[in-house]
């Protein structure tokens, strides 16, 4: 089972039942859905931005937006996949706000100067800041496929549904993205 897919929790209710209850205003259903999806959404946003406080704020913003837009969720994909797309868009909106954007290099230097670790996750260590920069520099379609699948742990089938494409098309995007990343990572650091 997908890590962020709601398991039979909340009194044995499945995702569809929890969503139906949520649409009727059931706070417990909302809390159960958050409990089931929060770790993956937060972790994905943390990988994207590399800052725990920003990731927590963006996660809150993601859920706030999801609850406002719940009527638009059509059930073609898992709730967690739809939620990841909202989180990803929330992150992009965050970095596009000039007053809030801090270059990754400045964050890394500042953290290292203060002797603070950048995280236990290998993707968040200092040497991976370049990888994060390269991922974020990919064209939108490749960037979403790579971050959704590897950082958001969204299955290929779910990404394909979300994007309105075939699983094969998503695999091709991932191969192109990985090839570009390998090429860029072999080059001298910029």
């Amino acid at each position: 089972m997908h890590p962020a897919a709601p398991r039979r929790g909340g009194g044995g209710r499945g995702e569809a039942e929890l969503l139906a209850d949520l649409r009727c205003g059931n706070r417990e259903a909302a809390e159960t859905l958050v409990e089931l999806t929060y770790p993956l959404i937060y972790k994905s946003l943390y990988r994207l931005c590399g800052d725990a406080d920003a990731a927590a704020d963006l996660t809150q913003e993601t859920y706030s937006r999801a609850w406002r837009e719940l009527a638009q969720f059509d059930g073609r994909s898992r709730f967690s996949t739809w939620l990841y797309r909202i989180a990803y868009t929330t992150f992009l909106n965050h970095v596009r706000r000039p007053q809030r954007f801090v270059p990754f290099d400045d964050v890394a230097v500042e953290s290292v100067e203060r002797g603070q670790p950048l995280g236990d996750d290998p993707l968040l260590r200092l040497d991976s800041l370049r990888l994060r920069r390269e991922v974020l520099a990919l064209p939108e379609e490749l960037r979403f496929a790579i971050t959704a699948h590897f950082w958001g742990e969204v299955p290929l089938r779910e990404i394909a549904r979300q994007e309105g494409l075939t699983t094969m098309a998503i695999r091709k995007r991932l191969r192109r993205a990985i090839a570009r990343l390998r090429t860029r990572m072999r080059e001298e650091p910029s």
Side-chain angles (χ1 to χ4, degrees):
M1 177 176 280
H2 184 268
R7 297 170 239 341
R8 288 263 173 206
R13 296 177 293 173
E15 180 179 278
E17 197 173 335
L18 286 168
L19 287 167
D21 289 351
L22 176 61
R23 286 183 171 119
C24 292
N26 183 319
R27 184 178 173 90
E28 182 183 316
E31 289 171 1
T32 301
L33 283 167
V34 169
E35 182 181 306
L36 293 170
T37 57
Y38 189 94
L40 186 59
I41 296 301
Y42 172 81
K43 183 173 88 172
S44 299
L45 287 165
Y46 184 65
R47 285 177 168 172
L48 284 166
C49 69
D51 178 271
D53 291 334
D57 290 345
L58 293 171
T59 302
Q60 288 296 93
E61 194 174 328
T62 296
Y63 282 101
S64 177
R65 185 172 166 202
W67 299 154
R68 283 192 313 269
E69 298 176 8
L70 188 61
Q72 295 175 19
F73 177 64
D74 60 11
R76 288 184 311 149
S77 64
R78 291 183 192 162
F79 176 73
S80 59
T81 302
W82 178 75
L83 193 59
Y84 177 82
R85 177 49 117 168
I86 292 172
Y88 179 77
T89 302
T90 301
F91 166 76
L92 291 179
N93 291 338
H94 169 74
V95 296
R96 289 176 183 146
R97 291 180 214 139
Q99 69 276 14
R100 289 190 172 184
F101 182 73
V102 176
F104 290 120
D105 290 338
D106 294 347
V107 171
V109 170
E110 190 176 301
S111 295
V112 170
E113 286 174 353
R114 286 191 259 144
Q116 294 175 341
L118 292 175
D120 293 333
D121 188 324
L123 288 174
L124 297 174
R125 292 192 186 118
L126 181 60
D127 61 349
S128 68
L129 288 174
R130 183 164 173 237
L131 174 61
R132 184 181 303 115
R133 249 193 334 264
E134 296 298 342
V135 167
L136 294 177
L138 289 170
E140 168 62 25
E141 67 183 25
L142 301 181
R143 182 176 57 231
F144 178 74
I146 239 11
T147 60
H149 186 64
F150 292 107
W151 292 353
E153 300 176 18
V154 178
L156 295 178
R157 183 179 71 251
E158 290 292 312
I159 298 169
R161 278 190 203 136
Q162 181 74 29
E163 296 294 293
L165 299 169
T166 65
T167 303
M168 183 58 72
I170 297 301
R171 282 193 178 112
K172 287 179 182 178
R173 283 184 179 181
L174 287 173
R175 281 195 294 268
R176 282 196 329 261
I178 291 168
R180 283 187 186 193
L181 290 171
R182 281 188 179 137
T183 300
R184 294 285 300 155
M185 294 302 287
R186 284 186 197 126
E187 295 174 1
E188 288 298 314
S190 36

